[in-house]
Amino acid sequence: VQARCQAACEAAARGESVRFDVPVRMAGGSVMPIDFQIAPLRDAGGRITHLIPSAVEITARQRTEASLREANALLDAIFATAPIGLAFWDRDLRFMRVNERLAEMNGLPVAAHLGKRPDELLPDLADVPALMQRWRELLRTGRPMLGVEIVGSTPARPGELRSWNEDFFPVRIGDQIVGL
């Protein structure tokens, strides 16, 4: 830690701003994580006259980051292992996340879905404009749509009429609906 801080001071003395997280030993032997930063202060002529260090205790931030990693790992596991097709659409009905099973059912790679709306990606579904309107209504009202029959063909089986029963749920963060 001392060597890293020394190197940061030397870099700041050369004109660089440096920032990193580091554990520091406190009085009594406890360790506290901090966000350390050091930056040069220049005079009117551009010469470095001082180095300005700062440190912010980041225990709460690290706990939040760990919780987010855990939540994302759980979501990744659900998407990876679900035997059904799963997707998340944003408020513009664009695919933001798709699992391999849904990609396989549609006959397009996961990457081909991302950022696209169902009407752009799967134009051979029956009555796509009506479906899009129903999905927009779900975003407006927050009421799930259960047992929706979708009929049409996909790149997985072009020209073959297929039928699915699908459920659509609003995804909320607090009181705000952020997608389906």
Side-chain angles (χ1 to χ4, degrees):
V1 171
Q2 288 176 346
R4 191 169 184 195
C5 288
Q6 180 64 38
C9 290
E10 291 168 3
R14 290 189 306 270
E16 299 174 41
S17 291
V18 180
R19 182 177 182 179
F20 54 88
D21 294 350
V22 62
V24 294
R25 186 163 315 282
M26 306 302 291
S30 66
V31 175
M32 176 190 300
I34 63 167
D35 175 348
F36 175 77
Q37 181 173 339
I38 189 162
L41 178 65
R42 298 175 187 271
D43 65 14
R47 289 183 308 263
I48 297 170
T49 60
H50 295 81
L51 300 181
I52 308 296
S54 68
V56 177
E57 191 269 331
I58 57 171
T59 301
R61 185 190 87 193
Q62 287 184 338
R63 280 191 202 117
T64 300
E65 289 170 347
S67 293
L68 286 172
R69 281 190 301 276
E70 185 177 311
N72 282 330
L74 177 60
L75 186 58
D76 289 344
I78 290 168
F79 264 71
T81 61
I84 60 173
L86 295 174
F88 172 74
W89 297 337
D90 66 12
R91 289 197 57 83
D92 294 323
L93 300 176
R94 295 190 182 284
F95 286 99
M96 300 304 294
R97 188 166 192 155
V98 175
N99 72 348
E100 287 291 339
R101 180 65 182 122
L102 182 63
E104 177 185 303
M105 290 165 50
N106 288 340
L108 297 167
V110 168
H113 289 75
L114 302 179
K116 299 284 173 64
R117 292 187 322 262
D119 60 333
E120 297 170 325
L121 197 64
L122 304 164
D124 295 331
L125 298 180
D127 208 5
V128 174
L131 284 170
M132 297 289 288
Q133 186 57 40
R134 288 182 68 193
W135 291 324
R136 287 187 182 97
E137 182 69 9
L138 184 160
L139 288 168
R140 190 182 67 73
T141 65
R143 287 192 300 265
M145 297 169 49
L146 306 176
V148 176
E149 184 177 15
I150 297 180
V151 177
S153 65
T154 66
R157 297 185 188 161
E160 181 181 326
L161 194 61
R162 300 168 68 198
S163 177
W164 299 266
N165 280 319
E166 297 190 10
D167 297 326
F168 300 90
F169 298 91
V171 175
R172 298 176 190 271
I173 297 179
D175 292 336
Q176 184 179 3
I177 297 172
V178 296
L180 306 178

